Amino acid sequence: DAKTTQPPSMDCAEGRAANLPCNHSTISGNEYVYWYRQIHSQGPQYIIHGLKNNETNEMASLIITEDRKSSTLILPHATLRDTAVYYCIVRGANSGYALNFGKGTSLLVTP
Amino acid sequence: EPEVTQTPSHQVTQMGQEVILRCVPISNHLYFYWYRQILGQKVEFLVSFYNNEISEKSEIFDDQFSVERPDGSNFTLKIRSTKLEDSAMYFCASSPDRGPGGYTFGSGTRLTVV
């Protein structure tokens, strides 16, 4: 699976959009981009995934660049409860079963 | 919303004792996983399980570990002879298939080996 690079930490004001970047320059054509988050020692929580097109669900939007070498997770109106570590993971649909959690981005949402 | 349920939430055990961590995956899911997270470190994959057998395991998952689906609902992780370094949060997860969808994780069992 392709390696990902994320900033170690970010801050965001409550009510503003949080834009979390991820670089995955070695991604291959059949690999998906996944985002999970972990709120203070709770189990990781699936947020969203995408292959080529931008995706949106009730939690977030995922913007994937045209060359697929980077992506951005957008939380449109961050709340204090969105404070968490966010993980960008690249995985092929038919590759191994393991999710490779890196160090992620620690997002702090401030009042 | 369906949940993955893990019990107990916290277990303390003596070094050398056997422990069994229990998980109830989402009922229509077919793939089951265990991950662990040592305090302050990354979430690490241990094992995946499908069709009553291990489909993949990491190098962490050595002979002291085993998994079982003893009935139609439970999925267990057994650690045969616990060591101090086994102290960690253990997360169970499940997924409906091997496709691109996300995994659902439980809230974890905190294992403390003393």
Side-chain angles (χ1 to χ4, degrees), chain A residues 34 36 38 43-44 93 95 97 99, chain B residues 35 37 56 98 100 103 105-106:
Chain A
Y34 293 82
Y36 284 77
Q38 187 176 26
S95 66
Y97 297 88
L99 292 174
Chain B
Y35 286 74
Q37 186 175 32
E56 184 179 353
R98 198 184 166 184
Y103 297 4
F105 283 80

